[in-house]
Amino acid sequence: MTARPIFDEEHELFREQARRFCEREIAPHFRDWERQGCSPREFWRKAGAAGLLCTTIPAEYGGGGGTFLHACVVTEEMVRVGANLGIAVHSDMVAPYLLHYGSETLKRRLLPRLCAGELVASIGMTEPGTGSDLKSIRTSAVRAAGPDGREQWVINGQKVWITNGYNCGVVIVACKTDPAAGAKGVSLIAVEEGTPGFTRSQPMDKIGLKAQDTAELFFDDVRVPLDNLVGDEGRGFVYLMQQLPQERLVIAVRSAATLETQLDATIGYTAERKVFGNPIIDFQNSRFKLAEAKAYIAMLRTFVDACIAEHVAVGISSERAAMAKLVATELMGRYLDEFLQLHGGYGYSSEYGIGRAWVDARVTRIAGGTSEVLKDIISRGLR
Ligand SMILES: Cc1cc2nc3c(=O)[nH]c(=O)nc-3n(C[C@H](O)[C@H](O)[C@H](O)COP(=O)(O)OP(=O)(O)OC[C@H]3O[C@@H](n4cnc5c(N)ncnc54)[C@H](O)[C@@H]3O)c2cc1C
């Protein structure tokens, strides 16, 4: 494997700790969670206690006080055991909205519980009528007097495809606070579990990511304090644009790690299994396919690690994050398909990691910005 100078000794110690946790607390249970369509809440509390949640959130709010490198370690170690859970959404996508834009009161109220795994967090952008075109969302939030005469937000609408939605203890909802103002009318508001009028569906029946719960969320005259506004009114779209590059980089990190893990698994499988008296890896077709994959994956690793270093140093640009996600997920689609083919019929069994990785990978070209949307972003810098 390509040497990775972005990590130091401290990260490697953290990696060992994360690896032990994944092997002990995830791997033996993961197939059951896939059948149930979600992971148990108890698991989140264990992950919190082990320091695996919110690794980049400062210690004063209960987080790990680390950098994006610690977040990458957690993501990569989850990949190693073939687990796909919404931890990165919780820790590296939702918690940063609260940290960067939330009021001190909101941060003190929510972040320690996210870090401890007492609350599972979601971000609600997508709606049945709109996904890629975020500024066209219709979920509304208006100010209205509450029973005590004080103003509150009243939220109405629906979100779909929300990761961690079934387990969700808090969701940051993208709402229209000024429907006439387009992107400038979008605001982010935190809604907590148990708030009257806030309900969710059962986990959605997806073709993959079976243990990562995904649900529809419904808001029917949901009243929350004005204080639940995350950042400034009307700045929600700007915040989403500022945070989406990290979300896309996390997906690239996950994809690169998946390709490396599955390349190793495929080399192992094809070296072991004999067909017509020879290990599969001895056929020239197999060697060429694996050699090509190895070369592309090594190139991908170098670019993704450069993006990680850039993100830690100065924050990755939306163009570079789009490039990383686009290339990583497209290569993942291409090579996981080749690896599955080299496994023959066993590749199609969900008992083998490759089959599950192949089906789970498909969504990465859709969620977090489709490949077409990413090309659109990259094309804006062409001239
Ligand atoms: C498993 C899963 C988990 C998800 N988790 C979350 C979550 O936690 N929170 C959340 O808010 N959302 C989540 N999503 C939603 C996801 O982000 C959207 O599905 C995605 O943004 C695409 O939106 P859409 O499904 O409405 O597709 P559409 O926007 O309807 O796109 C359909 C097709 O049109 C193409 N298209 C759209 N715009 C353009 C364009 N400008 N040029 C060319 N082609 C275009 C797209 O590329 C795509 O091929 C999740 C989705 C899935 C499947």
Side-chain angles (χ1 to χ4, degrees):
M1 199 174 114
T2 314
R4 304 185 66 191
I6 56 171
F7 293 111
D8 63 22
E9 207 178 317
E10 191 262 315
H11 299 121
E12 293 312 329
L13 286 173
F14 179 61
R15 187 182 292 283
E16 276 173 33
Q17 191 187 323
R19 184 167 298 184
R20 276 198 300 274
F21 179 87
C22 292
E23 284 169 356
R24 197 180 56 236
E25 300 294 345
I26 300 180
H29 312 292
F30 193 69
R31 297 307 306 280
D32 284 341
W33 299 347
E34 285 191 316
R35 280 184 276 274
Q36 288 152 15
C38 66
S39 52
R41 290 249 181 139
E42 183 51 27
F43 159 74
W44 289 83
R45 281 186 279 272
K46 283 185 184 168
L52 262 55
L53 299 181
C54 302
T55 51
T56 64
I57 299 300
E60 59 172 309
Y61 299 111
T67 68
F68 186 66
L69 287 160
H70 295 88
C72 293
V73 166
V74 175
T75 294
E76 291 173 0
E77 291 307 312
M78 300 260 300
V79 168
R80 259 194 80 257
V81 296
N84 241 322
L85 298 165
I87 287 189
V89 171
H90 172 97
S91 302
D92 311 322
M93 299 175 196
V94 183
Y97 282 103
L98 294 168
L99 179 71
H100 296 307
Y101 314 115
S103 67
E104 200 51 37
T105 320
L106 203 57
K107 285 197 266 202
R108 299 254 168 232
R109 191 165 88 229
L110 295 176
L111 281 175
R113 295 163 72 202
L114 257 65
C115 297
E118 286 166 16
L119 285 184
V120 178
S122 305
I123 172 92
M125 299 174 277
T126 309
E127 300 183 354
T130 191
S132 304
D133 182 13
L134 262 181
K135 62 181 180 314
S136 300
I137 55 166
R138 298 179 64 176
T139 296
S140 66
V142 295
R143 290 163 187 263
D148 59 0
R150 286 174 32 193
E151 275 200 326
Q152 299 175 314
W153 291 112
V154 182
I155 304 172
N156 278 288
Q158 183 181 345
K159 298 289 175 182
V160 70
W161 293 118
I162 306 307
T163 301
N164 298 337
Y166 182 69
N167 265 331
C168 134
V170 61
V171 54
I172 295 182
V173 191
C175 304
K176 272 281 169 76
T177 41
D178 182 355
K184 290 187 177 149
V186 176
S187 303
L188 303 182
I189 301 179
V191 175
E192 288 164 75
E193 180 180 35
T195 310
F198 169 38
T199 52
R200 85 246 0 235
S201 70
Q202 289 295 305
M204 293 169 75
D205 191 10
K206 310 188 294 298
I207 60 170
L209 295 182
K210 294 280 190 187
Q212 180 176 301
D213 94 58
T214 313
E216 286 179 85
L217 304 182
F218 306 95
F219 305 88
D220 186 9
D221 276 335
V222 174
R223 290 174 172 267
V224 296
L226 288 189
D227 218 25
N228 280 28
L229 181 70
V230 180
D232 295 330
E233 187 175 343
R235 298 267 299 159
F237 195 77
V238 174
Y239 301 150
L240 292 170
M241 293 307 114
Q242 286 170 349
Q243 294 304 313
L244 278 170
Q246 173 157 307
E247 172 170 350
R248 290 174 180 150
L249 184 52
V250 169
I251 297 171
V253 167
R254 188 175 174 90
S255 306
T258 302
L259 277 166
E260 286 166 346
T261 306
Q262 293 305 327
L263 173 65
D264 284 350
T266 308
I267 292 170
Y269 180 85
T270 52
E272 187 115 326
R273 184 170 170 86
K274 289 188 174 167
V275 182
F276 297 110
N278 295 311
I280 299 167
I281 202 167
D282 286 351
F283 296 116
Q284 190 191 53
N285 175 63
S286 314
R287 283 187 291 109
F288 279 16
K289 290 228 182 294
L290 291 167
E292 182 190 305
K294 184 174 178 177
Y296 276 88
I297 293 168
M299 299 286 279
L300 177 69
R301 165 54 61 214
T302 304
F303 182 64
V304 169
D305 279 3
C307 289
I308 295 172
E310 209 171 295
H311 190 49
V312 173
V314 291
I316 192 160
S317 70
S318 72
E319 185 190 64
R320 297 269 290 176
M323 287 178 181
K325 178 179 182 283
L326 175 69
V327 174
T329 59
E330 293 287 338
L331 284 184
M332 180 161 68
R334 186 197 308 169
Y335 288 114
L336 290 189
D337 198 68
E338 303 271 23
F339 298 163
L340 192 152
Q341 187 72 13
L342 287 169
H343 278 75
Y346 293 98
Y348 204 64
S349 159
S350 42
E351 292 298 318
Y352 281 75
I354 181 62
R356 301 209 322 277
W358 177 78
V359 72
D360 287 354
R362 188 60 187 87
V363 76
T364 61
R365 285 183 269 161
I366 298 168
T370 65
S371 290
E372 294 71 28
V373 165
L374 300 179
K375 286 178 196 170
D376 199 45
I377 291 169
I378 299 163
S379 74
R380 285 176 213 156
L382 292 179
R383 64 195 172 104

